Amino acid sequence: CLRLAKTNNVGIDDFILFDNFINNLKSFDVQNAILIIDACHSGAAISGVKDSGSELSVITQNDIPKGIVILASSRSTQKSYELKNGTNGVFTELLCKGLETGLDGKPTTNGLITIDDIVSYVNDKLESEQYSDFNQRSGFSVYGAEKGIWIAKNKSGEISSNVLLPIRKYIQSSEE
């Protein structure tokens, strides 16, 4: 559990300070990681916005090691909601559903689900009537890497080769 705080207040022992977590990533020389935060105001970790009246840190791009992706369940000013039955957070439920169903059967250009693909999927679902009671929108930030970072293979496969797409070269062998 992460708490975006820089001060030691009562009860802080129950949390890992975000600064300490980031310092651990740096000290262990973590080159690539996807941090998924399903918590109220988690967008503060990607926007660098300090929520007025709270203990949230101002996070800057210089604070985050290169190669790190932060995937947040809500904007810095929003709550993250749980499903009405209390089994999961709405964001976690939709994230898992998108990965398990291959974006509800939607093929992708290279057969992979990128961070952008899954965030778009989650936000589209949150805008649907089924999830209209949950006023939250997820977001992400990629630090020092391309935005095409993938999170899973897409079980729905690739878009048909009959569709004209921009040509991209991917590494296909150890020699390349």
Side-chain angles (χ1 to χ4, degrees), residues 84-121:
K84 291 179 181 174
N85 64 13
T87 57
N88 282 317
V90 174
F91 172 79
T92 297
E93 179 77 11
L94 293 172
L95 176 76
C96 292
K97 182 179 178 187
L99 297 175
E100 290 168 358
T101 66
L103 306 172
D104 288 341
K106 179 184 171 189
T108 52
T109 57
N110 57 5
L112 302 172
I113 297 174
T114 65
I115 297 296
D116 192 40
D117 292 330
I118 196 65
V119 168
S120 293
Y121 172 86

mmCIF file of all heavy atoms in Angstrom, residues 84-121:
data_model
loop_
_atom_site.group_PDB
_atom_site.id
_atom_site.type_symbol
_atom_site.label_atom_id
_atom_site.label_comp_id
_atom_site.label_asym_id
_atom_site.label_seq_id
_atom_site.Cartn_x
_atom_site.Cartn_y
_atom_site.Cartn_z
ATOM 1 N N LYS A 84 -20.219 -2.224 -6.183
ATOM 2 C CA LYS A 84 -21.282 -2.183 -5.176
ATOM 3 C C LYS A 84 -21.294 -3.420 -4.285
ATOM 4 O O LYS A 84 -21.662 -3.338 -3.122
ATOM 5 C CB LYS A 84 -22.630 -1.985 -5.855
ATOM 6 C CG LYS A 84 -22.724 -0.594 -6.459
ATOM 7 C CD LYS A 84 -24.008 -0.326 -7.174
ATOM 8 C CE LYS A 84 -23.912 1.092 -7.725
ATOM 9 N NZ LYS A 84 -24.978 1.480 -8.546
ATOM 10 N N ASN A 85 -20.819 -4.569 -4.812
ATOM 11 C CA ASN A 85 -20.778 -5.780 -3.994
ATOM 12 C C ASN A 85 -19.515 -5.846 -3.128
ATOM 13 O O ASN A 85 -19.344 -6.784 -2.346
ATOM 14 C CB ASN A 85 -20.914 -7.034 -4.856
ATOM 15 C CG ASN A 85 -19.757 -7.224 -5.823
ATOM 16 O OD1 ASN A 85 -18.714 -6.579 -5.727
ATOM 17 N ND2 ASN A 85 -19.946 -8.115 -6.785
ATOM 18 N N GLY A 86 -18.618 -4.856 -3.262
ATOM 19 C CA GLY A 86 -17.430 -4.772 -2.420
ATOM 20 C C GLY A 86 -16.310 -5.745 -2.746
ATOM 21 O O GLY A 86 -15.334 -5.831 -2.018
ATOM 22 N N THR A 87 -16.408 -6.472 -3.859
ATOM 23 C CA THR A 87 -15.396 -7.487 -4.170
ATOM 24 C C THR A 87 -14.089 -6.916 -4.699
ATOM 25 O O THR A 87 -13.031 -7.469 -4.444
ATOM 26 C CB THR A 87 -15.938 -8.502 -5.196
ATOM 27 O OG1 THR A 87 -16.349 -7.789 -6.373
ATOM 28 C CG2 THR A 87 -17.094 -9.301 -4.624
ATOM 29 N N ASN A 88 -14.150 -5.832 -5.465
ATOM 30 C CA ASN A 88 -12.966 -5.241 -6.087
ATOM 31 C C ASN A 88 -13.166 -3.749 -6.252
ATOM 32 O O ASN A 88 -14.293 -3.262 -6.247
ATOM 33 C CB ASN A 88 -12.742 -5.810 -7.502
ATOM 34 C CG ASN A 88 -12.136 -7.175 -7.518
ATOM 35 O OD1 ASN A 88 -11.210 -7.454 -6.779
ATOM 36 N ND2 ASN A 88 -12.664 -8.037 -8.371
ATOM 37 N N GLY A 89 -12.054 -3.069 -6.491
ATOM 38 C CA GLY A 89 -12.153 -1.703 -6.952
ATOM 39 C C GLY A 89 -12.651 -1.726 -8.390
ATOM 40 O O GLY A 89 -12.381 -2.681 -9.132
ATOM 41 N N VAL A 90 -13.385 -0.704 -8.800
ATOM 42 C CA VAL A 90 -13.909 -0.639 -10.167
ATOM 43 C C VAL A 90 -12.751 -0.683 -11.165
ATOM 44 O O VAL A 90 -12.794 -1.415 -12.155
ATOM 45 C CB VAL A 90 -14.754 0.642 -10.367
ATOM 46 C CG1 VAL A 90 -15.174 0.805 -11.811
ATOM 47 C CG2 VAL A 90 -15.964 0.620 -9.453
ATOM 48 N N PHE A 91 -11.708 0.091 -10.911
ATOM 49 C CA PHE A 91 -10.556 0.127 -11.805
ATOM 50 C C PHE A 91 -9.911 -1.248 -11.934
ATOM 51 O O PHE A 91 -9.647 -1.719 -13.044
ATOM 52 C CB PHE A 91 -9.526 1.154 -11.303
ATOM 53 C CG PHE A 91 -8.233 1.119 -12.054
ATOM 54 C CD1 PHE A 91 -8.130 1.714 -13.294
ATOM 55 C CD2 PHE A 91 -7.126 0.492 -11.515
ATOM 56 C CE1 PHE A 91 -6.932 1.686 -14.000
ATOM 57 C CE2 PHE A 91 -5.922 0.462 -12.208
ATOM 58 C CZ PHE A 91 -5.830 1.058 -13.448
ATOM 59 N N THR A 92 -9.650 -1.902 -10.807
ATOM 60 C CA THR A 92 -9.026 -3.230 -10.836
ATOM 61 C C THR A 92 -9.893 -4.215 -11.599
ATOM 62 O O THR A 92 -9.398 -5.009 -12.405
ATOM 63 C CB THR A 92 -8.753 -3.733 -9.408
ATOM 64 O OG1 THR A 92 -7.814 -2.837 -8.792
ATOM 65 C CG2 THR A 92 -8.187 -5.132 -9.404
ATOM 66 N N GLU A 93 -11.187 -4.161 -11.371
ATOM 67 C CA GLU A 93 -12.123 -5.041 -12.077
ATOM 68 C C GLU A 93 -12.033 -4.836 -13.588
ATOM 69 O O GLU A 93 -11.938 -5.800 -14.357
ATOM 70 C CB GLU A 93 -13.549 -4.773 -11.588
ATOM 71 C CG GLU A 93 -14.604 -5.601 -12.248
ATOM 72 C CD GLU A 93 -14.664 -7.033 -11.737
ATOM 73 O OE1 GLU A 93 -14.031 -7.363 -10.714
ATOM 74 O OE2 GLU A 93 -15.354 -7.831 -12.377
ATOM 75 N N LEU A 94 -12.059 -3.584 -14.025
ATOM 76 C CA LEU A 94 -12.021 -3.298 -15.451
ATOM 77 C C LEU A 94 -10.657 -3.598 -16.061
ATOM 78 O O LEU A 94 -10.572 -4.086 -17.193
ATOM 79 C CB LEU A 94 -12.425 -1.841 -15.707
ATOM 80 C CG LEU A 94 -13.890 -1.519 -15.385
ATOM 81 C CD1 LEU A 94 -14.139 -0.021 -15.494
ATOM 82 C CD2 LEU A 94 -14.833 -2.300 -16.287
ATOM 83 N N LEU A 95 -9.596 -3.324 -15.327
ATOM 84 C CA LEU A 95 -8.247 -3.639 -15.799
ATOM 85 C C LEU A 95 -8.125 -5.141 -16.043
ATOM 86 O O LEU A 95 -7.696 -5.574 -17.124
ATOM 87 C CB LEU A 95 -7.205 -3.173 -14.774
ATOM 88 C CG LEU A 95 -5.760 -3.516 -15.092
ATOM 89 C CD1 LEU A 95 -5.208 -2.602 -16.165
ATOM 90 C CD2 LEU A 95 -4.909 -3.410 -13.841
ATOM 91 N N CYS A 96 -8.518 -5.930 -15.073
ATOM 92 C CA CYS A 96 -8.433 -7.387 -15.210
ATOM 93 C C CYS A 96 -9.338 -7.899 -16.325
ATOM 94 O O CYS A 96 -8.937 -8.758 -17.110
ATOM 95 C CB CYS A 96 -8.783 -8.069 -13.886
ATOM 96 S SG CYS A 96 -7.557 -7.774 -12.596
ATOM 97 N N LYS A 97 -10.539 -7.359 -16.411
ATOM 98 C CA LYS A 97 -11.480 -7.773 -17.459
ATOM 99 C C LYS A 97 -10.904 -7.476 -18.842
ATOM 100 O O LYS A 97 -10.985 -8.306 -19.750
ATOM 101 C CB LYS A 97 -12.822 -7.064 -17.275
ATOM 102 C CG LYS A 97 -13.862 -7.485 -18.283
ATOM 103 C CD LYS A 97 -15.186 -6.774 -18.047
ATOM 104 C CE LYS A 97 -16.201 -7.183 -19.108
ATOM 105 N NZ LYS A 97 -17.426 -6.414 -19.026
ATOM 106 N N GLY A 98 -10.325 -6.295 -19.002
ATOM 107 C CA GLY A 98 -9.728 -5.928 -20.289
ATOM 108 C C GLY A 98 -8.595 -6.850 -20.698
ATOM 109 O O GLY A 98 -8.487 -7.256 -21.857
ATOM 110 N N LEU A 99 -7.756 -7.217 -19.740
ATOM 111 C CA LEU A 99 -6.637 -8.112 -20.032
ATOM 112 C C LEU A 99 -7.124 -9.538 -20.292
ATOM 113 O O LEU A 99 -6.648 -10.213 -21.210
ATOM 114 C CB LEU A 99 -5.630 -8.096 -18.876
ATOM 115 C CG LEU A 99 -4.953 -6.753 -18.612
ATOM 116 C CD1 LEU A 99 -4.074 -6.831 -17.378
ATOM 117 C CD2 LEU A 99 -4.168 -6.267 -19.817
ATOM 118 N N GLU A 100 -8.082 -10.001 -19.485
ATOM 119 C CA GLU A 100 -8.584 -11.379 -19.618
ATOM 120 C C GLU A 100 -9.394 -11.589 -20.891
ATOM 121 O O GLU A 100 -9.373 -12.677 -21.463
ATOM 122 C CB GLU A 100 -9.442 -11.735 -18.404
ATOM 123 C CG GLU A 100 -8.637 -11.877 -17.130
ATOM 124 C CD GLU A 100 -9.492 -11.947 -15.869
ATOM 125 O OE1 GLU A 100 -10.737 -11.852 -15.960
ATOM 126 O OE2 GLU A 100 -8.898 -12.082 -14.785
ATOM 127 N N THR A 101 -10.116 -10.571 -21.343
ATOM 128 C CA THR A 101 -10.980 -10.725 -22.519
ATOM 129 C C THR A 101 -10.327 -10.219 -23.800
ATOM 130 O O THR A 101 -10.966 -10.224 -24.858
ATOM 131 C CB THR A 101 -12.307 -9.959 -22.332
ATOM 132 O OG1 THR A 101 -12.032 -8.552 -22.275
ATOM 133 C CG2 THR A 101 -13.054 -10.428 -21.095
ATOM 134 N N GLY A 102 -9.089 -9.788 -23.720
ATOM 135 C CA GLY A 102 -8.448 -9.214 -24.908
ATOM 136 C C GLY A 102 -9.180 -7.980 -25.381
ATOM 137 O O GLY A 102 -9.524 -7.861 -26.549
ATOM 138 N N LEU A 103 -9.445 -7.063 -24.430
ATOM 139 C CA LEU A 103 -10.154 -5.808 -24.709
ATOM 140 C C LEU A 103 -11.539 -6.101 -25.289
ATOM 141 O O LEU A 103 -11.979 -5.470 -26.245
ATOM 142 C CB LEU A 103 -9.336 -4.896 -25.636
ATOM 143 C CG LEU A 103 -7.912 -4.578 -25.196
ATOM 144 C CD1 LEU A 103 -7.155 -3.849 -26.290
ATOM 145 C CD2 LEU A 103 -7.921 -3.771 -23.909
ATOM 146 N N ASP A 104 -12.211 -7.089 -24.711
ATOM 147 C CA ASP A 104 -13.536 -7.534 -25.174
ATOM 148 C C ASP A 104 -13.500 -8.003 -26.624
ATOM 149 O O ASP A 104 -14.407 -7.749 -27.412
ATOM 150 C CB ASP A 104 -14.599 -6.435 -25.014
ATOM 151 C CG ASP A 104 -14.992 -6.191 -23.570
ATOM 152 O OD1 ASP A 104 -14.744 -7.071 -22.720
ATOM 153 O OD2 ASP A 104 -15.574 -5.125 -23.294
ATOM 154 N N GLY A 105 -12.419 -8.688 -26.970
ATOM 155 C CA GLY A 105 -12.317 -9.255 -28.320
ATOM 156 C C GLY A 105 -11.793 -8.306 -29.377
ATOM 157 O O GLY A 105 -11.881 -8.593 -30.564
ATOM 158 N N LYS A 106 -11.220 -7.201 -28.962
ATOM 159 C CA LYS A 106 -10.709 -6.206 -29.923
ATOM 160 C C LYS A 106 -9.232 -6.473 -30.215
ATOM 161 O O LYS A 106 -8.379 -6.320 -29.336
ATOM 162 C CB LYS A 106 -10.877 -4.805 -29.339
ATOM 163 C CG LYS A 106 -10.355 -3.708 -30.236
ATOM 164 C CD LYS A 106 -10.466 -2.356 -29.553
ATOM 165 C CE LYS A 106 -9.760 -1.294 -30.359
ATOM 166 N NZ LYS A 106 -9.663 -0.035 -29.624
ATOM 167 N N PRO A 107 -8.913 -6.854 -31.448
ATOM 168 C CA PRO A 107 -7.501 -7.055 -31.807
ATOM 169 C C PRO A 107 -6.729 -5.740 -31.751
ATOM 170 O O PRO A 107 -7.314 -4.660 -31.857
ATOM 171 C CB PRO A 107 -7.571 -7.567 -33.251
ATOM 172 C CG PRO A 107 -8.972 -8.004 -33.456
ATOM 173 C CD PRO A 107 -9.815 -7.160 -32.545
ATOM 174 N N THR A 108 -5.429 -5.820 -31.587
ATOM 175 C CA THR A 108 -4.564 -4.646 -31.589
ATOM 176 C C THR A 108 -3.579 -4.750 -32.744
ATOM 177 O O THR A 108 -3.434 -5.819 -33.350
ATOM 178 C CB THR A 108 -3.810 -4.514 -30.247
ATOM 179 O OG1 THR A 108 -3.158 -5.757 -29.967
ATOM 180 C CG2 THR A 108 -4.759 -4.174 -29.115
ATOM 181 N N THR A 109 -2.885 -3.664 -33.035
ATOM 182 C CA THR A 109 -2.025 -3.625 -34.224
ATOM 183 C C THR A 109 -0.919 -4.675 -34.208
ATOM 184 O O THR A 109 -0.553 -5.198 -35.236
ATOM 185 C CB THR A 109 -1.382 -2.235 -34.393
ATOM 186 O OG1 THR A 109 -0.659 -1.922 -33.212
ATOM 187 C CG2 THR A 109 -2.413 -1.181 -34.673
ATOM 188 N N ASN A 110 -0.394 -4.998 -33.042
ATOM 189 C CA ASN A 110 0.715 -5.939 -32.977
ATOM 190 C C ASN A 110 0.427 -7.145 -32.077
ATOM 191 O O ASN A 110 1.341 -7.884 -31.735
ATOM 192 C CB ASN A 110 1.989 -5.233 -32.505
ATOM 193 C CG ASN A 110 1.799 -4.554 -31.165
ATOM 194 O OD1 ASN A 110 0.754 -4.684 -30.528
ATOM 195 N ND2 ASN A 110 2.806 -3.819 -30.731
ATOM 196 N N GLY A 111 -0.823 -7.324 -31.690
ATOM 197 C CA GLY A 111 -1.174 -8.463 -30.847
ATOM 198 C C GLY A 111 -0.807 -8.272 -29.384
ATOM 199 O O GLY A 111 -0.844 -9.225 -28.615
ATOM 200 N N LEU A 112 -0.470 -7.052 -28.998
ATOM 201 C CA LEU A 112 -0.131 -6.741 -27.616
ATOM 202 C C LEU A 112 -1.087 -5.685 -27.086
ATOM 203 O O LEU A 112 -1.593 -4.857 -27.842
ATOM 204 C CB LEU A 112 1.306 -6.214 -27.516
ATOM 205 C CG LEU A 112 2.401 -7.139 -28.035
ATOM 206 C CD1 LEU A 112 3.737 -6.406 -28.059
ATOM 207 C CD2 LEU A 112 2.494 -8.408 -27.197
ATOM 208 N N ILE A 113 -1.328 -5.699 -25.788
ATOM 209 C CA ILE A 113 -2.132 -4.664 -25.147
ATOM 210 C C ILE A 113 -1.160 -3.681 -24.503
ATOM 211 O O ILE A 113 -0.426 -4.040 -23.585
ATOM 212 C CB ILE A 113 -3.087 -5.258 -24.091
ATOM 213 C CG1 ILE A 113 -4.088 -6.207 -24.759
ATOM 214 C CG2 ILE A 113 -3.812 -4.142 -23.338
ATOM 215 C CD1 ILE A 113 -4.987 -6.950 -23.775
ATOM 216 N N THR A 114 -1.166 -2.462 -25.017
ATOM 217 C CA THR A 114 -0.285 -1.435 -24.458
ATOM 218 C C THR A 114 -0.969 -0.741 -23.288
ATOM 219 O O THR A 114 -2.174 -0.889 -23.080
ATOM 220 C CB THR A 114 0.080 -0.373 -25.517
ATOM 221 O OG1 THR A 114 -1.109 0.327 -25.890
ATOM 222 C CG2 THR A 114 0.754 -0.998 -26.736
ATOM 223 N N ILE A 115 -0.199 0.023 -22.556
ATOM 224 C CA ILE A 115 -0.747 0.808 -21.451
ATOM 225 C C ILE A 115 -1.840 1.734 -21.976
ATOM 226 O O ILE A 115 -2.908 1.856 -21.379
ATOM 227 C CB ILE A 115 0.370 1.614 -20.743
ATOM 228 C CG1 ILE A 115 1.401 0.675 -20.108
ATOM 229 C CG2 ILE A 115 -0.203 2.571 -19.718
ATOM 230 C CD1 ILE A 115 0.868 -0.205 -19.013
ATOM 231 N N ASP A 116 -1.597 2.371 -23.111
ATOM 232 C CA ASP A 116 -2.588 3.263 -23.698
ATOM 233 C C ASP A 116 -3.870 2.498 -24.057
ATOM 234 O O ASP A 116 -4.973 2.989 -23.824
ATOM 235 C CB ASP A 116 -2.003 3.951 -24.930
ATOM 236 C CG ASP A 116 -2.862 5.091 -25.427
ATOM 237 O OD1 ASP A 116 -3.406 5.835 -24.589
ATOM 238 O OD2 ASP A 116 -2.994 5.237 -26.656
ATOM 239 N N ASP A 117 -3.729 1.279 -24.605
ATOM 240 C CA ASP A 117 -4.897 0.451 -24.945
ATOM 241 C C ASP A 117 -5.750 0.157 -23.714
ATOM 242 O O ASP A 117 -6.969 0.296 -23.745
ATOM 243 C CB ASP A 117 -4.472 -0.896 -25.557
ATOM 244 C CG ASP A 117 -3.828 -0.790 -26.914
ATOM 245 O OD1 ASP A 117 -4.157 0.142 -27.676
ATOM 246 O OD2 ASP A 117 -2.974 -1.667 -27.228
ATOM 247 N N ILE A 118 -5.108 -0.262 -22.627
ATOM 248 C CA ILE A 118 -5.873 -0.673 -21.448
ATOM 249 C C ILE A 118 -6.493 0.527 -20.743
ATOM 250 O O ILE A 118 -7.621 0.455 -20.249
ATOM 251 C CB ILE A 118 -5.044 -1.560 -20.475
ATOM 252 C CG1 ILE A 118 -5.954 -2.289 -19.487
ATOM 253 C CG2 ILE A 118 -3.970 -0.778 -19.764
ATOM 254 C CD1 ILE A 118 -6.891 -3.294 -20.093
ATOM 255 N N VAL A 119 -5.796 1.666 -20.717
ATOM 256 C CA VAL A 119 -6.374 2.872 -20.104
ATOM 257 C C VAL A 119 -7.568 3.344 -20.930
ATOM 258 O O VAL A 119 -8.603 3.713 -20.370
ATOM 259 C CB VAL A 119 -5.310 3.978 -19.933
ATOM 260 C CG1 VAL A 119 -5.943 5.319 -19.587
ATOM 261 C CG2 VAL A 119 -4.326 3.575 -18.841
ATOM 262 N N SER A 120 -7.457 3.320 -22.249
ATOM 263 C CA SER A 120 -8.593 3.684 -23.103
ATOM 264 C C SER A 120 -9.768 2.743 -22.871
ATOM 265 O O SER A 120 -10.921 3.181 -22.778
ATOM 266 C CB SER A 120 -8.191 3.647 -24.574
ATOM 267 O OG SER A 120 -7.260 4.646 -24.856
ATOM 268 N N TYR A 121 -9.486 1.450 -22.761
ATOM 269 C CA TYR A 121 -10.533 0.456 -22.508
ATOM 270 C C TYR A 121 -11.243 0.758 -21.182
ATOM 271 O O TYR A 121 -12.465 0.806 -21.116
ATOM 272 C CB TYR A 121 -9.915 -0.945 -22.472
ATOM 273 C CG TYR A 121 -10.870 -2.018 -22.037
ATOM 274 C CD1 TYR A 121 -11.703 -2.653 -22.950
ATOM 275 C CD2 TYR A 121 -10.944 -2.411 -20.701
ATOM 276 C CE1 TYR A 121 -12.593 -3.640 -22.546
ATOM 277 C CE2 TYR A 121 -11.826 -3.392 -20.289
ATOM 278 C CZ TYR A 121 -12.643 -4.011 -21.214
ATOM 279 O OH TYR A 121 -13.524 -4.980 -20.801
#
